[in-house]
Amino acid sequence: MAVKKLTAALVSALVAGAALSGAPAVAAKSKPKLTGEEKLAKMLEGREAGKPVNCITLSQVSQTTVIDKTAIVYQVGSTLYVNRPTNADLLDNDDILVTRLWGSQLCSVDTVQLHDRMAGHMWSGFVGLREFVPYKRVKK
């Protein structure tokens, strides 16, 4: 009899725990997914665009972020360089970017191959880089 009560209590606790752990997942699913443009705008909040440049020094890039179907953002120090390449509709943040350089700089004439991370690194297309627009924080 005591074993049945203990088993029933354990089952109740597991069901309650499962319900609680599932609650955040349900809430996350109901949150609307941001478009690429909305993600980029959020990333650039509090920054203003500077004069576009044709090249950036790749060794100074500390982080690269792919914004789905929109842009590639390169971080150099506190500056974000936004590149809106040709074929931007092929950009997927799950892809691996493969860039072949002819020097130390990444320039607006370079292309970037896209490789699908989930499909055994299969080639999934390419984008052609354009000018890099620097975005710096606005001083308050």
Side-chain angles (χ1 to χ4, degrees):
M1 184 84 152
V3 174
K4 284 187 177 181
K5 285 184 180 180
L6 182 59
T7 304
L10 184 58
V11 170
S12 294
L14 290 173
V15 170
L20 287 176
S21 67
V26 172
K29 288 181 183 176
S30 65
K31 190 175 183 180
K33 186 175 178 182
L34 297 177
T35 66
E37 289 296 337
E38 291 168 333
K39 287 179 187 176
L40 183 59
K42 188 172 184 175
M43 182 182 273
L44 298 176
E45 280 179 3
R47 297 175 179 270
E48 65 181 28
K51 182 180 176 186
V53 296
N54 283 319
C55 299
I56 59 174
T57 303
L58 195 56
S59 64
Q60 294 178 345
V61 173
S62 60
Q63 184 174 346
T64 303
T65 305
V66 175
I67 308 294
D68 288 342
K69 302 185 183 318
T70 306
I72 305 171
V73 180
Y74 299 91
Q75 182 175 348
V76 176
S78 62
T79 303
L80 300 179
Y81 287 88
V82 176
N83 194 292
R84 293 177 175 269
T86 61
N87 298 332
D89 59 314
L90 297 177
L91 289 173
D92 183 333
N93 68 353
D94 283 334
D95 281 345
I96 297 170
L97 305 179
V98 178
T99 307
R100 290 194 176 97
L101 297 179
W102 303 108
S104 63
Q105 295 193 313
L106 188 58
C107 296
S108 58
V109 295
D110 292 326
T111 59
V112 176
Q113 288 183 352
L114 307 173
H115 290 260
D116 188 328
R117 182 183 320 267
M118 305 309 278
H121 305 294
M122 286 181 49
W123 186 77
S124 60
F126 75 94
V127 295
L129 297 179
R130 292 182 174 158
E131 289 184 318
F132 299 83
V133 179
Y135 284 83
K136 296 186 180 201
R137 293 201 183 280
V138 177
K139 294 179 183 177
K140 293 180 181 181

